[in-house]
Amino acid sequence: MSSEFSLIEYYFKRRAGRTEHVPLGIGDDCALLNVPAGHQLAVSIDTLAAGVHFPHHTSAFDVGHKSLAVGLSDLAAMGAEPAWATLSLSLPELDPHWLEAFSEGFFQLAERHQLTLVGGDTVKAPLSITVQVHGFIPVGAALRRDGAQVGDLICVSGRVGDGALGLKMALGELAAVKNPLQKLNRPEAQVVLGLALRGKAHSCIDVSDGLAADLGHILTASKVGALLQLDKLPLSAELCQQPAEIQEKMALFGGDDYELCFTLSAKALHELQAQFDLPKISVIGQIEPKQGLRLQRPQSIEALPIMGFDHFDRA
Amino acid sequence: MSSEFSLIEYYFKRRAGRTEHVPLGIGDDCALLNVPAGHQLAVSIDTLAAGVHFPHHTSAFDVGHKSLAVGLSDLAAMGAEPAWATLSLSLPELDPHWLEAFSEGFFQLAERHQLTLVGGDTVKAPLSITVQVHGFIPVGAALRRDGAQVGDLICVSGRVGDGALGLKMALGELAAVKNPLQKLNRPEAQVVLGLALRGKAHSCIDVSDGLAADLGHILTASKVGALLQLDKLPLSAELCQQPAEIQEKMALFGGDDYELCFTLSAKALHELQAQFDLPKISVIGQIEPKQGLRLQRPQSIEALPIMGFDHFDRA
């Protein structure tokens, strides 16, 4: 066996996970998979490239964690139960220490979500990681972007802006403190909340490109508008210490938060808040019939452009 | 919408394919997919990096074609019917001409196999393409590597060695002629043959790493050995014009053939040969109880190492 095959075997096959729904995992031309009766398969593919999606000096453990977390966040946003992942690793060199730490970061997160690695590829190329995640959803229960209704409350989980604040710290633009860096490097997908939102939320998306951009996707798909309350945005203590301009920029236009933004009725929110195992949920605005995204400031209302993080606009 | 989203929309959403089994395609956090009752899902993920899997000067059309063909070949090797693909594109720059030609190469092949593009990602990074293919197989009908039986005939479709010969031509090491270059740049996955092998072949693999290596995977997984007849290897007229040493090296250890290597009984082969729509099939050896791979030369038998193409052994 060549070292490419040995590599996959050694680091990735040993901890592939539970084999329920996996008649054949890593090691053949394809993996063979069973989707439970009455369920649909949700899939999402994401590539993280060094220097684009994470700074080059990010630890291998964090790269392993994050490369799976971003996909889990997409599953959460659909209300899907995580099932399988595939992993294609482009590496400039075979470094056993890096691989050991990367696989530890990947598998610790996978195991917490009972997710099975079912296939992969390894390539000698600049550092880049592609992960496809697969999850199960009962037919008709998926949370989509196109179901927001006029009058819906707009909610977001956790806090927004810390991912982008953490990036500034990782790049040395701001003094580093623990929590925003943790948010940047080891984001936690809101899988439990996504499952709780089934049958309650009218629309849902994960905040990966920035709150304004991601809410914008809901508005465009649902053909509605929104009024967002600036003073309701949930900010961390660390972000609150920054100048107001930075706070607003990070919270509205920063990426990498991996929280869920969703819309639902006041009644559904009330039911949701009766559950004890969910993260903090903040009501940050309301869906309106007039299209576009508007920001309520203390003294004025400002129209916001609907746009997001764009890899091709970056230097 | 940012240009990243517009890009996906413009080039890839317009020709996404048939929507049967795709309740929700490109444009949400996840695609939603239905696997037909009584079927398993076969999946395979592959990354092609410029300068590793194809020369840097390869045309965009050919890169688009090949990035899907290698995955289709994995589906063929399992006996799966192509259904969906996801595509993650790492591009150093946004070049509309390149994207137009790439998507043309990708979709012309996808449409021939009625395969639907259901999701994707785009990243600014060195040129690299990751495709995950998904196919359907009736439960229990998959062609695996681990079922070869003592006495099975070993067969291969088409011709072997032309992919590696084409690479030498593409790299300028040999004078270029059309057919081997075509084989390198626009390989055709043996999907129809894979479907015909259901219920007939005991084991199957696609020839991507080189015949000796890929047959080696069958032998290892099935815990059997094989005697291969050197004079039975199906070579093209172009390869036959090369020195004997090159012929043997390309046919046994070259990669990129994307033919199927499979084992079956003489009776099953006879049934197969009665079908009129299949490619040329050559019997090249037999499965034996003694483990290892042996090569029958005119005057001697030589033990072959079981190893293959290794991206991490390349300079």
Side-chain angles (χ1 to χ4, degrees), chain A residues 25-43:
Chain A
I26 295 173
D28 211 305
D29 292 286
C30 293
L32 291 179
L33 307 166
N34 287 332
V35 176
H39 287 71
Q40 293 180 319
L41 186 67
V43 307

Side-chain angles (χ1 to χ4, degrees), chain B residues 12-45:
Chain B
F12 298 116
K13 200 172 174 178
R14 60 183 171 155
R15 285 172 64 173
R18 63 179 182 167
T19 52
E20 192 194 349
H21 307 306
V22 186
L24 185 63
I26 295 172
D28 211 305
D29 292 286
C30 293
L32 290 179
L33 307 167
N34 287 333
V35 177
H39 287 70
Q40 293 180 319
L41 186 67
V43 307
S44 178
I45 189 167

Side-chain angles (χ1 to χ4, degrees), chain A residues 93-308:
Chain A
E93 59 179 355
L94 268 188
D95 174 349
H97 298 292
W98 193 94
L99 277 164
E100 179 71 37
F102 174 88
S103 64
E104 199 59 35
F106 185 93
F107 281 114
Q108 280 191 16
L109 183 60
E111 283 159 12
R112 265 196 283 138
H113 290 281
Q114 297 191 279
L115 179 139
T116 308
L117 184 68
V118 297
D121 194 13
T122 49
V123 177
K124 184 170 183 171
L127 181 59
S128 173
I129 304 100
T130 299
V131 172
Q132 177 158 325
V133 291
H134 312 69
F136 301 146
I137 309 181
V139 174
L143 310 171
R144 300 169 54 144
R145 297 180 180 180
D146 58 4
Q149 297 176 16
V150 172
D152 272 1
L153 300 174
I154 302 168
C155 298
V156 71
S157 63
R159 294 188 169 81
V160 288
D162 275 9
L165 185 66
L167 182 60
K168 280 192 173 291
M169 293 173 176
L171 296 176
E173 297 170 20
L174 283 176
V177 291
K178 187 183 171 195
N179 289 342
L181 280 175
Q182 179 86 2
K183 184 79 176 180
L184 174 74
N185 292 323
R186 298 202 196 164
E188 288 296 335
Q190 296 291 357
V191 172
V192 173
L193 175 59
L195 295 174
L197 290 174
R198 286 181 185 169
K200 293 193 176 66
H202 292 145
S203 68
C204 185
I205 195 168
D206 77 319
V207 183
S208 54
D209 294 334
L211 181 61
D214 291 312
L215 176 57
H217 293 319
I218 286 183
L219 302 181
T220 302
S222 302
K223 301 186 177 65
V224 292
L227 182 66
L228 212 55
Q229 308 286 338
L230 181 62
D231 63 347
K232 302 291 188 197
L233 297 182
L235 309 185
S236 68
E238 290 82 357
L239 187 51
C240 285
Q241 287 168 11
Q242 299 296 322
E245 190 189 309
I246 298 278
Q247 288 181 34
E248 203 177 306
K249 191 176 168 195
M250 300 290 105
L252 286 172
F253 305 108
D256 271 350
D257 283 321
Y258 303 105
E259 298 294 343
L260 295 186
C261 174
F262 51 97
T263 76
L264 75 185
S265 68
K267 179 171 173 287
L269 176 64
H270 189 73
E271 290 166 11
L272 199 67
Q273 285 171 329
Q275 283 188 237
F276 65 94
D277 58 345
L278 299 182
K280 172 180 147 77
I281 293 168
S282 304
V283 178
I284 58 172
Q286 196 153 3
I287 297 293
E288 300 180 329
K290 186 186 168 195
Q291 294 196 23
L293 176 55
R294 289 162 293 280
L295 183 68
Q296 174 75 64
R297 296 181 180 281
Q299 307 294 335
S300 64
I301 291 179
E302 178 192 343
L304 288 181
I306 293 185
M307 57 184 298

Side-chain angles (χ1 to χ4, degrees), chain B residues 65-129:
Chain B
H65 175 103
K66 189 165 183 173
S67 66
L68 179 57
V70 300
L72 283 172
S73 184
D74 285 319
L75 290 180
M78 299 298 286
E81 180 193 349
W84 316 304
T86 52
L87 164 67
S88 186
L89 248 185
S90 294
L91 297 172
E93 58 180 355
L94 268 188
D95 174 350
H97 299 290
W98 193 94
L99 276 164
E100 180 71 36
F102 173 89
S103 64
E104 200 58 35
F106 185 93
F107 281 113
Q108 280 190 17
L109 184 60
E111 283 159 13
R112 267 196 283 137
H113 292 280
Q114 298 192 278
L115 179 139
T116 307
L117 184 68
V118 298
D121 194 13
T122 48
V123 177
K124 183 170 185 172
L127 181 59
S128 173
I129 306 99

Side-chain angles (χ1 to χ4, degrees), chain B residues 174 238-250:
Chain B
L174 284 175
E238 291 83 357
L239 186 50
C240 285
Q241 288 169 10
Q242 299 296 322
E245 189 188 309
I246 298 277
Q247 288 182 33
E248 203 178 306
K249 192 175 168 194
M250 300 290 104

Side-chain angles (χ1 to χ4, degrees), chain A residues 66-88:
Chain A
K66 190 165 182 172
S67 66
L68 179 56
V70 300
L72 283 173
S73 184
D74 284 320
L75 290 180
M78 299 298 286
E81 180 193 347
W84 316 306
T86 52
L87 165 66
S88 186

Side-chain angles (χ1 to χ4, degrees), chain B residues 15 36 97 114 166 169 176 179 219 232 237 281 297 307 309:
Chain B
R15 285 172 64 173
H97 299 290
Q114 298 192 278
M169 294 173 175
N179 288 342
L219 302 181
K232 302 290 189 197
I281 293 168
R297 296 181 180 281
M307 57 185 297
F309 180 86

